[in-house]
Amino acid sequence: MEKHKAYIITGPTSGIGLATALELAKHGTLILVGRNREKLESVQKQTGNAIPVVCDLSDLTSVKSAAREIIGLQVPIAGLLNNAGMMSSKAAKNAQGWDLTYATNHLGPFALTEALVPHLPDGCNVVFIASAIEDPARKPVKMMGMKGGRYISAAASAAGKWKEGGTKMPGIDAYATSKQCILAAALAFARENPRLHFNAIEPGITRGTGLGAADVNAFVHFLFGHLMAIIPPFSRYSSTPARSAKVICKVLTDLSGKSGLYYNEKGVPMRGSDEVMDPIFQDRVVAETRALLHEKS
Ligand SMILES: NC(=O)c1ccc[n+]([C@@H]2O[C@H](COP(=O)([O-])OP(=O)(O)OC[C@H]3O[C@@H](n4cnc5c(N)ncnc54)[C@H](OP(=O)(O)O)[C@@H]3O)[C@@H](O)[C@H]2O)c1
């Protein structure tokens, strides 16, 4: 066991993050970043050798204080996994008055990463859990009537406004746009900063997690997860938390120096939407996000 290495993982208390924490614990010390101390301590008991850091990723004040706490630990960081995320059919606002989904899935991980980057050692791996829902041309996305990321600007997204022509399914444009932005940022960071390695992963349609579960009853959630796993074409893209964890750990502990890649649920490089693969779009998302965060700091 490589105990001299430490890995930061956000959202380790459920689903893909919990499975990844259990797997990642074989590679070193874990810094468990989540919003609920009791849940973090329960994961800490399961993994051993872990340090809990309480952080609500939707709240920028909380993100800044968590970043300071992590830097103050002065442990040798080998990897940062931005995994925490949420999806909700009800629009809500964060502590700064911004769209909660956009703040949790894009602004929070973006701010956490930017605060930590200067303190990460050369060659450190930074991984973002994205989602193929951002790509309107992807088969399962089209079949479900979703329209992909609907980015206008970072300020518009923070205000809960999405490009016209989106889906009628509540909460999906917010989720898809947040994932479009964090994927664009990951790819831009990789070009901007060759000292570190930035990659993203689409974990697949992963059943048995808590994503969106608060919005539907347990039976619908179970049925939906199960059908997705067996009915083509969804079954082709389906995964489980344990399988996702293997792929994520492989990318997070990779020493080959690969950067700027976006992996699918099998760990094979894939393409995002045409928009997200465009470096001009990626740089615009990063510049607009920085400007928005600067405004509030
Ligand atoms: N499941 C899928 O099919 C799928 C597909 C593509 C991408 N993803 C992405 O995979 C990642 C993990 O999702 P999952 O499916 O494993 O869902 P999950 O079981 O609901 O896990 C989400 C994790 O994020 C944490 N979290 C949510 N909001 C937070 C906040 N404001 N501050 C700090 N932590 C917060 C949760 O903490 P609590 O335990 O405190 O709630 C939990 O640990 C997400 O980024 C998701 O978008 C999932």
Side-chain angles (χ1 to χ4, degrees), residues 79-111:
L80 161 62
L81 174 64
N82 286 293
N83 160 76
M86 50 97 54
M87 178 164 73
S88 173
S89 64
K90 294 165 204 80
K93 297 206 180 305
N94 76 342
Q96 285 73 36
W98 291 338
D99 181 83
L100 186 68
T101 302
Y102 193 70
T104 307
N105 297 353
H106 175 60
L107 299 174
F110 186 103

Side-chain angles (χ1 to χ4, degrees), residues 216-236:
V216 289
N217 70 45
F219 178 69
V220 173
H221 191 244
F222 174 78
L223 199 67
F224 190 69
H226 245 67
L227 286 178
M228 287 298 217
I230 52 173
I231 293 180
F234 303 109
S235 50
R236 214 186 113 198

Side-chain angles (χ1 to χ4, degrees), residues 10-18 33-36 39 55-59 82-87 100 104-105 129-133 175 179 201-213 241:
T10 72
T13 50
S14 170
I16 296 168
L18 175 57
V33 181
R35 57 187 165 176
N36 181 312
K39 284 192 190 177
C55 173
D56 179 348
L57 276 156
S58 75
D59 178 353
N82 286 293
N83 160 76
M86 50 97 54
M87 178 164 73
L100 186 68
T104 307
N105 297 353
I129 303 304
S131 170
I133 198 171
Y175 181 72
K179 290 297 180 179
I201 300 174
E202 139 64 14
I205 302 170
T206 310
R207 56 194 181 276
T209 79
L211 196 72

